[in-house]
């Protein structure tokens, strides 16, 4: 796809790179700060503006789900089922990898396969894999710069918003 473009979203947790085409998002990924200004340009395309708006609302604590159109270039049926189920996890809530396995019709012993599907998620935040944790209460992995610490921060952020605490994003985005 030669018409792919990117937009970078500055968040209180770091920078997100969003790869998109004219009518859909292809990928969202956390990037290291030193990469932010190397090759990104500002875009006024309608989808780019919608991407910026929805992520800004999320990090201000004003949005709990995304309406952005997206498409997957490569996906297995198993990953698709897992990601669809992850989208159903309520804002600020967490479930275990084992519970997610049960919800997609697998044995709870399939938790490792669930973890792999989470790691392959091309749309973090939109498909909120940060809401999936280990059954022993530990956070588990998060495949992004910042790893588990970032995952803890995202969960805590959503829980603060639900409690009505001032979201940290309101201090960053004015």
């Amino acid at each position: 796809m030669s018409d792919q473009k990117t937009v970078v979203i500055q968040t209180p947790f770091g920078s997100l790179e969003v790869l998109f085409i004219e009518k859909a998002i292809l990928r969202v990924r956390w990037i290291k700060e030193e990469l932010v200004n190397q090759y990104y340009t500002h875009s006024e395309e309608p989808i780019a503006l919608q991407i910026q708006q929805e992520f800004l609302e999320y990090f201000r604590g004003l949005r709990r789900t995304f309406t952005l159109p997206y498409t997957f270039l490569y996906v297995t049926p198993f990953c698709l089922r897992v990601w669809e189920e992850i989208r159903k996890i309520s804002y600020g809530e967490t479930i275990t990898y084992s519970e997610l396995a049960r919800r997609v019709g697998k044995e709870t012993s399939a938790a490792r396969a669930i973890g792999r599907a989470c790691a392959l998620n091309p749309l973090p935040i939109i498909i909120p894999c940060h809401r999936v944790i280990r059954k022993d209460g530990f956070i588990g992995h998060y495949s992004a710069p910042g790893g588990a610490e970032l995952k803890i921060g995202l969960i805590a952020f959503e829980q603060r918003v639900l409690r009505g605490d001032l979201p940290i994003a309101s201090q960053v985005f004015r």
Side-chain angles (χ1 to χ4, degrees), residues 2-122:
S2 60
D3 57 347
Q4 295 177 1
K5 297 183 181 163
T6 58
V7 63
V8 173
I9 311 293
Q10 301 295 329
T11 82
F13 300 99
S15 297
L16 282 172
E17 173 195 64
V18 182
L19 180 68
F20 65 96
I21 54 177
E22 182 182 355
K23 297 186 188 267
I25 293 177
L26 301 173
R27 183 187 71 216
V28 175
R29 69 179 180 148
W30 294 96
I31 58 172
K32 295 180 179 180
E33 293 304 314
E34 58 267 17
L35 299 177
V36 171
N37 293 318
Q38 288 189 1
Y39 58 92
Y40 299 108
T41 58
H42 181 71
S43 174
E44 294 291 331
E45 293 182 55
I47 186 132
L49 298 175
Q50 183 183 2
I51 291 166
Q52 293 168 11
Q53 182 66 34
E54 290 199 20
F55 276 101
L56 179 65
E57 290 168 356
Y58 173 83
F59 285 108
R60 283 187 173 160
L62 303 173
R63 173 174 292 279
R64 299 192 179 171
T65 60
F66 288 83
T67 62
L68 292 163
Y70 57 83
T71 190
F72 300 117
L73 297 179
Y74 307 101
V75 63
T76 67
F78 175 74
C79 282
L80 189 58
R81 275 197 334 266
V82 171
W83 299 339
E84 287 171 350
E85 200 60 41
I86 290 172
R87 291 229 30 201
K88 297 176 186 175
I89 303 170
S90 296
Y91 183 92
E93 300 294 321
T94 59
I95 68 167
T96 66
Y97 293 100
S98 298
E99 173 61 18
L100 185 54
R102 188 193 64 71
R103 290 184 185 186
V104 298
K106 298 290 182 184
E107 297 292 322
T108 58
S109 60
R112 285 182 188 254
I114 296 294
R116 182 70 183 138
C118 289
L120 294 172
N121 173 11

Side-chain angles (χ1 to χ4, degrees), residues 88-173:
K88 297 176 186 175
I89 303 170
S90 296
Y91 183 92
E93 300 294 321
T94 59
I95 68 167
T96 66
Y97 293 100
S98 298
E99 173 61 18
L100 185 54
R102 188 193 64 71
R103 290 184 185 186
V104 298
K106 298 290 182 184
E107 297 292 322
T108 58
S109 60
R112 285 182 188 254
I114 296 294
R116 182 70 183 138
C118 289
L120 294 172
N121 173 11
L123 302 171
I125 308 295
I126 296 170
I127 298 174
C129 56
H130 62 276
R131 298 178 189 158
V132 184
I133 63 172
R134 292 175 21 176
K135 69 179 174 184
D136 62 8
F138 288 101
I139 290 298
H141 290 286
Y142 192 60
S143 53
E149 192 173 305
L150 175 58
K151 187 174 183 175
I152 291 167
L154 290 167
I155 293 167
F157 169 76
E158 291 181 354
Q159 291 172 344
R160 279 195 304 273
V161 169
L162 287 175
R163 286 192 311 265
D165 293 347
L166 183 66
I168 56 174
S170 67
Q171 299 166 12
V172 176
F173 300 115

